[in-house]
Amino acid sequence: MSEPELIRDVVRGVPVFPDEMPFFDPGAAPESPIELFFTWLRQAVADDVAAPHAVTLSTVGDDGMPDARVVILKDLTQAGWQVASSSDSPKGRQLRANPAAALTFFWPAVGRQVRIRGAVSIGTTEENDADFQRRHPVARALVLAGGQSEVMDSRRVLDAAVDEQVQRLEAADGIASTTWTVFTVAPDEVEFWQADQQRLHTRLLYTRFGAGWRRELLWP
Ligand SMILES: Cc1cc2nc3c(=O)[nH]c(=O)nc-3n(C[C@H](O)[C@H](O)[C@H](O)COP(=O)(O)O)c2cc1C
């Protein structure tokens, strides 16, 4: 019998960063991390980074344990980074009980990571509904069916619940969700991380300072 394959052999030698990466001069960084994020996001889109708007949202549960999952960035305003989910999902409950979160973007094709930490606020009824109405009909039906992350008895139960809600949505315009929520992470700290082939990565940390931001380099 052959030796079982070791994970360390599978991952060893797999490249993490491309040979060519964009140059990042932290000395020329703008005063606001929101402005720099826009620049980096636009560059990620231009450089064909897959799903640059996919972001890991980390929260803390009642038991003090961290939890994390990937969501989609919906918008970025001067108030902060916006993501959306059901308020009765595990993340929604965690954010209601402990309105603080971290967001982590990783853009492999450009060797960049952005980390955001801050307090979380929930959208107004109008903001939540506007985002809900922009969703694909099946995605809306799924939210109306509820139960995200609960144990599911069978796929048939899911299909029946979604069908029922799709029919409701087809029968009437503008049906709203009572749970769909836009969460805004207001940044206290934002870190921009640029990989370097020699591992001398460049890290720039923005920390809120009065009405503005303090900028500091971090040891890689
Ligand atoms: C690329 C990607 C995008 C996702 N976007 C969202 C999203 O915007 N909102 C959401 O509620 N779940 C999204 N999900 C699903 C979540 O990762 C997660 O499975 C779900 O929200 C349940 O999380 P929870 O049990 O921690 O509440 C996405 C998953 C992936 C892989």
Side-chain angles (χ1 to χ4, degrees):
M1 218 173 88
S2 62
E3 287 289 314
E5 195 173 26
L6 295 174
I7 291 292
R8 64 167 180 260
D9 292 334
V10 175
V11 296
R12 185 182 296 141
V14 176
V16 187
F17 305 118
D19 293 336
E20 299 289 327
M21 288 183 282
F23 177 66
F24 172 43
D25 175 8
E31 278 175 22
S32 159
I34 291 176
E35 199 185 316
L36 184 53
F37 184 86
F38 269 127
T39 305
W40 276 34
L41 181 65
R42 275 195 220 97
Q43 181 144 20
V45 172
D47 287 352
D48 290 330
V49 170
H53 55 339
V55 57
T56 300
L57 166 69
S58 302
T59 50
V60 178
D62 281 346
D63 53 3
M65 289 292 286
D67 203 354
R69 76 294 290 156
V70 175
V71 294
I72 288 294
L73 175 72
K74 292 303 185 93
D75 207 349
L76 171 59
T77 69
Q78 289 304 317
W81 279 255
Q82 296 186 335
V83 299
S85 190
S86 278
S87 58
D88 60 359
S89 66
K91 74 181 95 43
R93 290 196 298 273
Q94 290 161 358
L95 287 172
R96 270 186 290 158
N98 184 358
L103 294 169
T104 313
F105 292 86
F106 173 45
W107 297 325
V110 287
R112 286 180 166 178
Q113 173 183 227
V114 182
R115 301 167 61 181
I116 298 136
R117 300 174 80 209
V120 172
S121 60
I122 61 171
T124 62
T125 307
E126 291 71 32
E127 286 165 345
N128 298 340
D129 190 52
D131 190 73
F132 178 73
Q133 299 302 340
R134 279 194 290 269
R135 287 172 68 80
H136 182 274
V138 174
R140 261 182 287 150
L142 198 52
V143 172
L144 294 174
Q148 189 176 48
S149 300
E150 284 171 15
V151 172
M152 190 171 79
D153 289 337
S154 75
R155 173 68 198 230
R156 267 189 297 128
V157 179
L158 168 68
D159 290 340
V162 170
D163 280 351
E164 189 186 324
Q165 297 304 329
V166 167
Q167 282 171 26
R168 259 187 80 202
L169 287 165
E170 280 168 0
D173 280 341
I175 290 180
S177 158
T178 54
T179 64
W180 191 251
T181 306
V182 175
F183 297 98
T184 301
V185 182
D188 290 322
E189 286 180 8
V190 187
E191 184 200 322
F192 293 84
W193 189 102
Q194 172 67 67
D196 171 69
Q197 276 292 351
Q198 308 306 317
R199 301 299 186 261
L200 298 178
H201 312 303
T202 303
R203 300 177 63 187
L204 177 66
L205 176 67
Y206 286 79
T207 311
R208 254 193 208 289
F209 186 68
W213 294 92
R214 185 171 55 219
R215 280 170 283 171
E216 292 162 305
L217 295 174
L218 300 182
W219 199 258

